[in-house]
Amino acid sequence: MGAIGQNEILFLAQGLKWTLLLSIIGFVGGGVFGLGIALARTSERSALRKTAAGYISVFQGTPLLMQLFVVYYGIALLGVSIEAWMAVAIAFTLHASAFLGEIWRGGIQAIPKGQTEAANALGLHYLSRMKDVVLPQAFKVSLPATIGFLVQLIKGTSLAAIVGFIELARAGQIVSNQTYRPLLIFGIVGAIYFTICWPLSLYGARLENRMAKAAR
Amino acid sequence: MLHAADTQSPLLSMEAVDKWYGAFHALKNINLTVRKGEKIVLCGPSGSGKSTLIRCINALEKIEKGTIMVEGTKLDDSGKSIDAVRREVGMVFQSFNLFPHMTILENCTLAPMRVRGTGKAEAEKIARKYLERVRILDQADKFPAQLSGGQQQRVAIARALCMEPKAMLFDEPTSALDPEMVKEVLDTMIGLARDGMTMICVTHEMGFARQVADRVIFMASGEIIEEAPPETFFRNPSHPRTQAFLGEILAHH
Ligand SMILES: Nc1ncnc2c1ncn2[C@@H]1O[C@H](COP(=O)(O)OP(=O)(O)OP(=O)(O)O)[C@@H](O)[C@H]1O
Ligand SMILES: [Mg+2]
């Protein structure tokens, strides 16, 4: 068995950095595009609604692993050479935008019709109606589900290993192979994931509880 | 009595208006003219089309046939005509529909700032003026959920007034209120009427109708059945359906 020294720890830290970066990119990119998807999904134009619905069902109906493959090799097939982390970031952004779009669609539709009608009666246009009236309320009701998805996304970044990307889980595997101490290494890796995800889950659950109580 | 309506050209008119929800004929050949300063009370049984009628006036519902004119603007599908009409017409809903995530003051400043492009300081000045007028200025920094139903409805009235509309539509503004709060809202509306606001009110508050209305309109099954000044309407209704309706309403009050 090999010793676990500074090198191994640094290697894991490097993996952790990529896991966090990938999660942030996926979440921010997915958030921006997801907002577009949610707005399209609740649009008055049926063509937009249908396109968004199709997009959502494709990404919700296929494994994330497959989406990673398709983007990674698909981009290569187009003759464009990009780095692995870019391909992975694109795949995660697309994936997250579909899920966040669907979560926020639900939030938008949960806002009582009277809110939109009052805004309309005051003469507010679509942009202000959404930005000032509907979305702030929709995000609030969607927050627990949004946090739940963020946790899934963070854990889901481990799948990026499949296209050769060294994030936390893959880094753990490599270190474990070098040191022959899989239990210890994966114990550490698991503890890191847990430390990131558990507080988020807890926060989401708290919010949900508080909202349920406020609704009563 | 307040019969201050002047006799100029109409502020608002509906001519041969028909509206369908799918196959359901919700409004049938509606003709209605409202002059500046006039107060109209609209009543009728549930499902008779009262809400539908006033919601057509500010284009919350689309009509299939006929013409609606507001201050010289003919309402069509164009966003421009809808904008023009909504700038002149304020609306108060049964369920208040205040924006729950904004303070009372923010509720009142949003539309002037976004629609009229009024600056924040000026919008707040206007908001304070109308909040004062509905006697609720001391609650300006609270959120809607912290107010009673009657207070919320008065804020909703102030919010509509902040756009300085020429006419106000009320859709059963006191129906969702506890009985002890009805009066404060009606008093606010009476004050508004005294100041000369043009008003169309869907309400079953017959005391309010007697005191404020220039005309009472009775609707049933999507049609205007009868239209008369309140004295005539209550003492001497001509149509049997009006008589039956009034019999029921007055028995309940
Ligand atoms: N969006 C809609 N789709 C289909 N039917 C509708 C819709 N809105 C209203 N209706 C129908 O149109 C008719 C008139 O409705 P409206 O709300 O105008 O009646 P109302 O006179 O305001 O009744 P109430 O006193 O109960 O408020 C009712 O039969 C109602 O079921
Ligand atoms: Mg109604």
Side-chain angles (χ1 to χ4, degrees):
Chain A
M1 277 201 273
I4 301 201
Q6 210 181 359
N7 280 345
E8 283 72 23
I9 299 293
L10 268 178
F11 196 70
L12 286 182
Q14 196 74 359
L16 172 62
K17 187 188 87 186
W18 280 112
T19 289
L20 290 178
L21 263 177
L22 212 51
S23 302
I24 292 168
I25 292 173
F27 193 67
V28 172
V32 171
F33 287 100
L35 179 60
I37 297 293
L39 291 176
R41 192 72 186 81
T42 53
S43 155
E44 280 174 16
R45 297 206 191 125
S46 93
L48 276 178
R49 277 202 312 272
K50 281 179 188 151
T51 311
Y55 181 87
I56 290 169
S57 29
V58 165
F59 282 93
Q60 288 200 332
T62 55
L64 174 56
L65 192 59
M66 243 202 60
Q67 295 162 18
L68 276 165
F69 274 140
V70 169
V71 173
Y72 187 69
Y73 293 111
I75 289 178
L77 274 181
L78 289 175
V80 186
S81 83
I82 57 168
E83 289 180 50
W85 77 268
M86 272 277 271
V88 171
I90 291 172
F92 273 99
T93 295
L94 294 176
H95 175 80
S97 68
F99 277 80
L100 290 174
E102 178 66 3
I103 289 170
W104 295 340
R105 187 238 2 119
I108 290 171
Q109 288 178 343
I111 306 310
K113 235 179 101 214
Q115 292 289 303
T116 304
E117 289 188 343
N120 269 326
L122 286 166
L124 294 172
H125 283 174
Y126 181 78
L127 199 67
S128 161
R129 220 156 61 219
M130 281 297 162
K131 178 173 81 69
D132 298 319
V133 177
V134 176
L135 290 179
Q137 300 184 59
F139 282 137
K140 198 176 158 205
V141 296
S142 308
L143 202 53
T146 304
I147 292 170
F149 176 72
L150 177 59
V151 170
Q152 293 299 321
L153 191 71
I154 293 169
K155 292 187 285 189
T157 53
S158 61
L159 289 176
I162 210 80
V163 292
F165 193 80
I166 303 172
E167 40 60 68
L168 181 57
R170 175 79 181 130
Q173 196 186 12
I174 292 170
V175 173
S176 137
N177 285 348
Q178 287 170 347
T179 59
Y180 301 106
R181 300 178 72 172
L183 229 53
L184 176 64
I185 299 298
F186 283 115
I188 293 172
V189 168
I192 296 174
Y193 275 113
F194 186 80
T195 312
I196 301 168
C197 294
W198 187 65
L200 281 172
S201 296
L202 204 64
Y203 178 59
R206 282 244 178 95
L207 274 179
E208 202 167 352
N209 260 336
R210 202 187 310 154
M211 281 182 203
K213 263 187 210 140
R216 247 180 271 140
Chain B
M1 293 271 167
L2 298 153
H3 297 284
D6 54 39
T7 48
Q8 342 169 327
S9 65
L11 180 74
L12 187 159
S13 71
M14 298 176 85
E15 241 175 78
V17 168
D18 280 87
K19 154 116 198 123
W20 282 266
Y21 289 114
F24 180 74
H25 202 170
L27 292 181
K28 299 171 187 158
N29 189 33
I30 299 293
N31 290 284
L32 172 67
T33 305
V34 181
R35 291 187 306 277
K36 191 165 180 302
E38 246 191 325
K39 287 94 183 123
I40 310 282
V41 162
L42 203 56
C43 61
S46 180
S48 57
K50 308 177 297 290
S51 298
T52 305
L53 190 154
I54 65 168
R55 290 161 59 86
C56 286
I57 295 173
N58 65 348
L60 287 185
E61 301 286 352
K62 241 178 78 179
I63 60 172
E64 271 74 37
K65 267 170 70 184
T67 316
I68 296 179
M69 301 268 296
V70 178
E71 274 277 276
T73 304
K74 180 174 178 293
L75 200 52
D76 52 36
D77 285 346
S78 72
K80 214 174 147 210
S81 78
I82 293 176
D83 286 350
V85 166
R86 286 180 180 162
R87 257 199 297 273
E88 307 294 354
V89 179
M91 185 165 197
V92 175
F93 301 85
Q94 179 175 347
S95 47
F96 328 138
N97 296 347
L98 294 179
F99 306 133
H101 58 298
M102 295 182 193
T103 65
I104 299 310
L105 192 67
E106 288 165 348
N107 263 275
C108 292
T109 55
L110 179 67
M113 286 165 68
R114 293 288 187 266
V115 180
R116 289 202 191 280
T118 310
K120 189 162 183 238
E122 176 67 14
E124 288 186 353
K125 209 176 112 199
I126 298 170
R128 287 182 199 284
K129 176 173 120 189
Y130 286 109
L131 286 171
E132 171 88 77
R133 179 150 165 199
V134 302
R135 288 176 297 108
I136 206 146
L137 183 56
D138 51 329
Q139 315 281 341
D141 295 324
K142 290 195 180 164
F143 286 89
Q146 297 170 287
L147 270 55
S148 74
Q151 291 175 320
Q152 289 191 50
Q153 193 60 298
R154 285 187 281 140
V155 171
I157 294 173
R159 179 176 69 175
L161 290 176
C162 284
M163 288 297 288
E164 318 212 291
K166 298 234 167 65
M168 288 278 285
L169 309 173
F170 292 85
D171 192 356
E172 306 208 32
T174 57
S175 301
L177 296 177
D178 293 335
E180 70 270 19
M181 293 170 189
V182 170
K183 188 174 177 301
E184 64 186 66
V185 171
L186 287 180
D187 285 346
T188 305
M189 292 169 63
I190 291 169
L192 206 56
R194 286 230 163 85
D195 292 344
M197 178 60 77
T198 309
M199 295 162 67
I200 304 181
C201 314
V202 176
T203 179
H204 292 151
E205 294 294 335
M206 291 307 150
F208 174 81
R210 273 181 218 274
Q211 192 179 346
V212 165
D214 295 299
R215 274 184 289 155
V216 182
I217 293 177
F218 174 70
M219 282 185 81
S221 329
E223 286 177 279
I224 293 182
I225 303 282
E226 184 159 353
E227 185 178 333
E231 314 88 80
T232 323
F233 184 86
F234 290 111
R235 198 169 315 136
N236 230 340
S238 58
H239 199 284
R241 289 187 78 167
T242 319
Q243 292 160 7
F245 174 77
L246 283 177
E248 244 175 68
I249 282 260
L250 298 176
H252 282 295
H253 279 69

